[in-house]
Amino acid sequence: FAADEHNQESLPRVELDIRDSDRDPSMAARQVAELCGDDKIVSILGPVFSNEVFASAGIAQARGVPLITPTATANGIAAIGAFIFQANPDFEMRGRAMARYALQQLKDSTLAVLSPIEPPGKLIADAFIDEVKAQGGVIVDVQWYQAGATDLHVQLETMRRRALEMAALPYV
């Protein structure tokens, strides 16, 4: 839709070559290699899954063709090279951004973390914790839970108890 709208109003015209990798990293790598070999291709939008990007981004980087992944979220994608762009922030960036928001916007400097133990929750929580500490904040407690857990009573009680233990003034 955007390309059609652009082509009605602006120059140069944009032509899209849409391909399906079938969520197969080797297929994505073959398609990126083929596209990079075409002198008319000025950039690649995709692949959309992180494992496909890791399999193919090195090819685009080596050939100097910009590759923009709109949805991949794995850590390290943008670090592949100067021609590789990640439009969706990775998990570490999300955790750091949440920590900065809590510290700078909400003005909270003493925090606790409750997170799933599995990725991506753990990756986000670990980055959050690291950023809070780097910015001089205090993490009162960290509690993990398994995916699908519905009763977090024990984790919340433990967090509350540790927060009360750290308080300068007793709370009732």
Side-chain angles (χ1 to χ4, degrees), residues 115-146:
S115 172
I117 190 78
E118 302 85 5
K122 181 146 181 15
L123 294 169
I124 294 169
D126 286 343
F128 179 90
I129 293 163
D130 291 345
E131 185 68 17
V132 167
K133 291 177 180 178
Q135 298 291 324
V138 175
I139 299 291
V140 173
D141 190 28
V142 178
Q143 291 291 313
W144 306 102
Y145 61 89
Q146 297 294 323

Side-chain angles (χ1 to χ4, degrees), residues 53-54 61 69 74-86 90:
V53 176
F54 281 120
Q61 175 65 31
T69 178
N75 294 332
I77 290 173
I80 292 171
F83 290 97
I84 309 304
F85 302 92
Q86 188 171 2
D90 65 29

Side-chain angles (χ1 to χ4, degrees), residues 56-103:
S56 59
I59 298 164
Q61 175 65 31
R63 297 192 184 167
V65 176
L67 183 144
I68 305 162
T69 178
T71 56
T73 55
N75 294 332
I77 290 173
I80 292 171
F83 290 97
I84 309 304
F85 302 92
Q86 188 171 2
N88 199 6
D90 65 29
F91 298 126
E92 287 181 9
M93 183 178 289
R94 292 175 192 199
R96 289 191 308 269
M98 285 188 280
R100 286 191 299 272
Y101 180 80
L103 294 165

Side-chain angles (χ1 to χ4, degrees), residues 4-170:
D4 290 341
E5 186 176 305
H6 168 82
N7 288 340
Q8 289 175 2
E9 302 172 3
S10 305
L11 291 174
R13 292 185 49 79
V14 174
E15 185 178 327
L16 301 177
D17 183 346
I18 300 170
R19 301 184 180 203
D20 184 357
S21 65
D22 291 327
R23 297 189 77 172
D24 178 359
S26 60
M27 171 78 79
R30 283 192 302 275
Q31 291 177 351
V32 166
E34 187 178 309
L35 289 167
C36 287
D38 185 339
D39 290 339
K40 292 184 247 169
I41 300 296
V42 295
S43 66
I44 298 171
L45 180 60
V48 296
F49 298 106
S50 297
N51 62 339
E52 295 176 347
V53 176
F54 281 120
S56 59
I59 298 164
Q61 175 65 31
R63 297 192 184 167
V65 176
L67 183 144
I68 305 162
T69 178
T71 56
T73 55
N75 294 332
I77 290 173
I80 292 171
F83 290 97
I84 309 304
F85 302 92
Q86 188 171 2
N88 199 6
D90 65 29
F91 298 126
E92 287 181 9
M93 183 178 289
R94 292 175 192 199
R96 289 191 308 269
M98 285 188 280
R100 286 191 299 272
Y101 180 80
L103 294 165
Q104 296 166 7
Q105 301 300 315
L106 300 178
K107 308 292 186 203
D108 290 329
S109 60
T110 304
L111 302 156
V113 174
L114 177 63
S115 172
I117 190 78
E118 302 85 5
K122 181 146 181 15
L123 294 169
I124 294 169
D126 286 343
F128 179 90
I129 293 163
D130 291 345
E131 185 68 17
V132 167
K133 291 177 180 178
Q135 298 291 324
V138 175
I139 299 291
V140 173
D141 190 28
V142 178
Q143 291 291 313
W144 306 102
Y145 61 89
Q146 297 294 323
T150 57
D151 182 3
L152 303 176
H153 179 77
V154 171
Q155 291 90 340
L156 293 170
E157 267 306 309
T158 302
M159 291 171 79
R160 173 184 244 176
R161 186 175 59 253
R162 291 200 177 133
L164 289 172
E165 289 169 0
M166 290 184 64
L169 299 173

